[in-house]
């Protein structure tokens, strides 16, 4: 049994100073570029042509958010914001005026995501 036996390990204190000299002093002084928040891809809006398309998108997006929110189109929205938006889109959709309703729905989605 090796319990309690001291193990000889390499000294890594020299390694840190070596990496600092490899990188150089100038590189550490430069400010790191900040990550740009790229706007979400809104191409999916052009695929919404009917109530069925809207409902399908909302269902798929809900499933996507449940499994992996970071890769969802609506990742910017918090959970309560997403639920509210989804509820409003479905309730405000008028079957009598489908073209106007789908246009309004696209506008609401665009405004929420940008």
């Amino acid at each position: 049994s090796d319990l309690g036996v001291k193990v000889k390990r390499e000294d890594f204190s020299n390694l840190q100073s070596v990496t600092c000299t490899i990188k150089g002093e100038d590189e550490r002084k430069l400010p790191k570029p900040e990550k740009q928040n790229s706007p979400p891809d809104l191409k999916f809006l052009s695929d919404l042509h009917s109530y069925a398309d809207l409902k399908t998108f909302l269902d798929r997006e809900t499933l996507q958010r449940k499994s992996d929110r970071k890769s969802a189109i609506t990742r910017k929205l918090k959970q309560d914001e997403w639920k509210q938006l989804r509820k409003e889109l479905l309730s405000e959709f008028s079957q009598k005026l489908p073209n106007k309703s789908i246009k309004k729905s696209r506008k609401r989605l665009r405004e929420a995501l940008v």
Side-chain angles (χ1 to χ4, degrees), residues 36-83:
Q36 296 291 329
N37 287 342
S38 59
D41 188 18
L42 300 177
K43 292 178 184 173
F44 72 93
L45 291 173
S46 61
D47 297 334
L48 302 177
H49 299 292
S50 66
Y51 180 75
D53 292 342
L54 178 67
K55 185 119 174 69
T56 303
F57 166 73
L58 294 174
D59 291 343
R60 276 198 198 131
E61 191 64 12
T62 301
L63 287 173
Q64 180 64 35
R65 286 175 66 90
K66 284 181 181 179
S67 64
D68 182 19
R69 184 173 151 206
K70 286 188 177 184
S71 65
I73 295 170
T74 58
R75 65 184 159 269
K76 177 184 171 188
L77 302 176
K78 295 185 175 98
Q79 183 179 10
D80 55 334
E81 292 172 337
W82 168 245
K83 285 182 177 182

Side-chain angles (χ1 to χ4, degrees), residues 14-24 28:
N14 292 342
L15 187 65
Q16 188 176 11
S17 63
V18 170
T19 56
C20 287
T21 55
I22 291 172
K23 284 184 178 180
R28 280 189 273 146

